[in-house]
């Protein structure tokens, strides 16, 4: 791809606030590459609530997403089926649910486009009025940001299958799933090892991940990564570059073995795997990506018999938070710039600082 590797990382407050931030950050960019930070309430699978242990965390250091309509508002105004749009979601414990929100938001966007192209809004609005009657219907709060065309907001409160025929909806759904681009982190192994936002047992979480990957195989979801196998959190927890890479690749091969044990073919699922590394300023970080790619390619080719596409390791880099200092804080800009430069010269597929 000729896209700039930069991703626009954002998340704060309700979905409308982060949506406006995404539009601000991506204005004028030829490719819309969004990276989503969720609040701790969402990360632990809770709903917003007035309980004292939840209330103050809602929308704090991440966006609050608890419903399909929240996801629709969050990504509204971005065509999720456009090849120039990709969305990354930093979510692990409740990843299957958030992924389902995202996919259904993309499908409903495509339904909106179909309704517009076929001049069906009068008929559809009549069906929605019949569903809601006098009840309150969800809406986007506040003004739309610059560049927002309203896409994704006209079916708030309903889904495409409620207003379109079953065969038309199925056709739109299949086409959307084959086009949508992005990544969900969903790496429960590194959660157990380093970050600890686990809400299910590791065994059950792995089973859900396998279910998701099987669904991707069965429905030709080729452009979306079902897991981002992550070393960043291990580095933040104290791993050096060598142990970060070793543990991350070990987790990657664990997913491979798990999916093979379920009867999937290596070439059906390996292209849906992606990786995520931290970049510090140790010398080894200048080559971490190319070393990872060589080890992965050799193992997939010689041990698992994967084809050329399966052998390609795609990875994202985030510059190191652990390396930043409170003392002489101005030097943090230099540290982060050097780490980003390491990643660019090591041919990372995407990057955020």
């Amino acid at each position: 791809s000729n896209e700039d590797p930069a991703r626009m990382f954002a998340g704060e407050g309700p979905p409308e606030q982060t949506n406006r931030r995404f539009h601000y950050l991506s204005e004028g960019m030829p490719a819309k590459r969004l990276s989503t930070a969720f609040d701790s309430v969402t990360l632990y699978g809770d709903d917003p609530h007035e309980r004292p242990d939840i209330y103050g965390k809602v929308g704090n250091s991440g966006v609050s997403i608890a419903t399909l309509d929240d996801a629709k508002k969050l990504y509204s105004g971005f065509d999720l089926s456009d090849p120039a749009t990709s969305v990354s979601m930093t979510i692990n414990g409740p990843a299957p649910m958030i992924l389902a929100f995202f996919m259904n938001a993309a499908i409903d966007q495509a339904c909106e486009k179909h309704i517009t192209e076929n001049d069906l809004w009068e008929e559809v609005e009549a069906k929605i009025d019949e569903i809601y009657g006098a009840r309150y219907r969800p809406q986007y709060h506040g003004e739309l940001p610059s560049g927002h065309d309203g896409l994704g907001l006209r079916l708030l409160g309903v889904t495409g299958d409620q207003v379109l025929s079953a065969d038309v909806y199925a056709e739109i759904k299949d086409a959307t799933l084959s086009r949508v681009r992005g990544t969900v982190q969903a790496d429960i192994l590194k959660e157990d090892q380093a970050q600890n936002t686990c809400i299910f047992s590791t065994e059950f979480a792995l089973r859900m991940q396998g279910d998701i990957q099987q669904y991707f195989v069965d429905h030709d979801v080729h452009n979306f990564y079902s897991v981002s196998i992550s070393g960043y959190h291990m580095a933040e927890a104290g791993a050096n570059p060598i142990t970060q890479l070793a543990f991350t690749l070990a987790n990657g091969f664990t997913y491979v073995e798990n999916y093979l044990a379920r009867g999937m073919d290596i070439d059906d699922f390996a292209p849906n795997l992606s990786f995520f590394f931290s970049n510090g300023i140790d010398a080894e970080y200048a080559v971490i990506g190319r070393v990872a790619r060589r080890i992965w390619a050799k193992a997939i080719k010689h041990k698992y018999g994967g084809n050329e596409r399966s052998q390609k390791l795609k990875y994202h880099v985030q510059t190191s938070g652990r390396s930043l200092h409170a003392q002489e804080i101005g030097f943090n800009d230099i540290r982060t710039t050097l780490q980003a430069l390491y990643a660019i010269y090591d041919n990372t597929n995407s990057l955020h600082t």
Side-chain angles (χ1 to χ4, degrees):
S1 165
N2 293 321
E3 292 177 14
D4 189 312
R7 279 196 177 275
M8 303 304 169
F9 191 50
E12 190 77 16
E16 292 90 344
Q17 182 176 339
T18 298
N19 175 256
R20 286 189 277 268
R21 179 66 176 168
F22 277 148
H23 279 278
Y24 172 77
L25 290 172
S26 61
E27 188 172 7
M29 301 288 284
K32 313 300 184 184
R33 307 187 75 180
L34 314 177
S35 188
T36 316
F38 297 94
D39 66 3
S40 62
V41 179
T42 306
L43 292 175
Y44 282 98
D46 288 319
D47 288 335
H49 200 277
E50 293 180 355
R51 272 174 35 191
D53 60 326
I54 288 179
Y55 186 76
K57 300 174 184 176
V58 176
N60 187 12
S61 299
V63 63
S64 174
I65 300 295
T67 67
L68 172 57
D69 285 329
D70 285 344
K72 288 183 181 182
K73 291 185 282 187
L74 176 62
Y75 299 118
S76 63
F78 296 101
D79 187 348
L80 299 179
S81 297
D82 189 330
T85 302
S86 69
V87 175
S88 173
M89 295 177 286
T90 306
I91 193 85
N92 292 280
M97 302 77 185
I98 298 297
L99 178 61
F101 289 165
F102 172 82
M103 291 297 187
N104 280 280
I107 293 165
D108 283 350
Q109 279 191 2
C111 290
E112 287 187 20
K113 291 193 290 184
H114 172 84
I115 294 166
T116 300
E117 291 164 3
N118 292 276
D119 196 23
L120 297 173
W121 277 114
E122 185 175 343
E123 176 186 335
V124 167
E125 289 292 349
K127 290 182 179 179
I128 295 174
D129 288 342
E130 188 177 334
I131 292 169
Y132 271 86
R135 291 183 297 136
Y136 172 82
R137 187 175 163 194
Q139 58 183 293
Y140 186 103
H141 297 284
E143 294 184 9
L144 296 182
S146 174
H148 195 309
D149 61 2
L151 180 64
L153 298 179
R154 296 193 69 173
L155 290 181
L156 286 178
V158 295
T159 51
D161 59 328
Q162 293 178 282
V163 296
L164 295 174
S165 64
D167 56 336
V168 169
Y169 179 78
E171 184 179 339
I172 292 171
K173 176 182 175 181
D174 289 343
T176 302
L177 291 175
S178 69
R179 287 198 298 261
V180 69
R181 294 181 62 208
T183 307
V184 61
Q185 192 165 104
D187 179 7
I188 202 61
L189 294 178
K190 73 93 179 45
E191 290 299 319
D192 184 63
Q193 296 156 351
Q195 185 164 249
N196 303 317
T197 61
C198 303
I199 60 174
F200 304 112
S201 71
T202 302
E203 181 183 8
F204 181 68
L206 279 172
R207 194 188 319 161
M208 285 196 292
Q209 282 186 249
D211 291 341
I212 291 168
Q213 184 56 61
Q214 186 67 64
Y215 185 90
F216 277 24
V217 171
D218 294 342
H219 292 81
D220 298 320
V221 184
H222 297 306
N223 299 316
F224 203 95
Y225 297 115
S226 63
V227 60
S228 178
I229 304 158
S230 305
Y232 178 88
H233 313 81
M234 297 177 194
E236 291 297 292
N240 64 38
I242 296 169
T243 51
Q244 177 195 171
L245 180 55
F247 286 131
T248 307
L249 288 176
N251 286 348
F253 293 127
T254 300
Y255 290 122
V256 169
E257 295 284 352
N258 183 41
Y259 296 166
L260 289 173
R262 291 181 57 129
M264 287 182 253
D265 185 89
I266 185 70
D267 294 328
D268 286 339
F269 68 80
N272 289 112
L273 306 179
S274 66
F275 288 80
F276 173 29
F277 298 118
S278 169
N279 255 32
I281 51 177
D282 303 80
E284 293 89 346
Y285 282 117
V287 296
I288 191 171
R290 72 194 80 173
V291 171
R293 283 177 169 143
R294 175 162 292 194
I295 295 171
W296 183 257
K298 285 181 176 292
I300 296 299
K301 179 179 180 179
H302 298 297
K303 179 171 175 58
Y304 299 108
N307 64 23
E308 186 175 340
R309 186 169 184 230
S310 298
Q311 295 166 31
K312 293 179 178 178
L313 182 148
K314 289 81 62 178
Y315 75 98
H316 175 82
V317 163
Q318 179 181 347
T319 53
S320 172
R322 186 177 63 141
S323 69
L324 306 182
H325 297 181
Q327 297 80 15
E328 297 183 318
I329 196 168
F331 285 110
N332 288 339
D333 290 341
I334 299 171
R335 292 185 183 96
T336 298
T337 301
L338 285 173
Q339 292 163 13
L341 195 62
Y342 274 21
I344 295 294
Y345 283 164
D346 205 25
N347 290 309
T348 183
N349 295 91
S350 61
L351 166 72
H352 81 272
T353 62

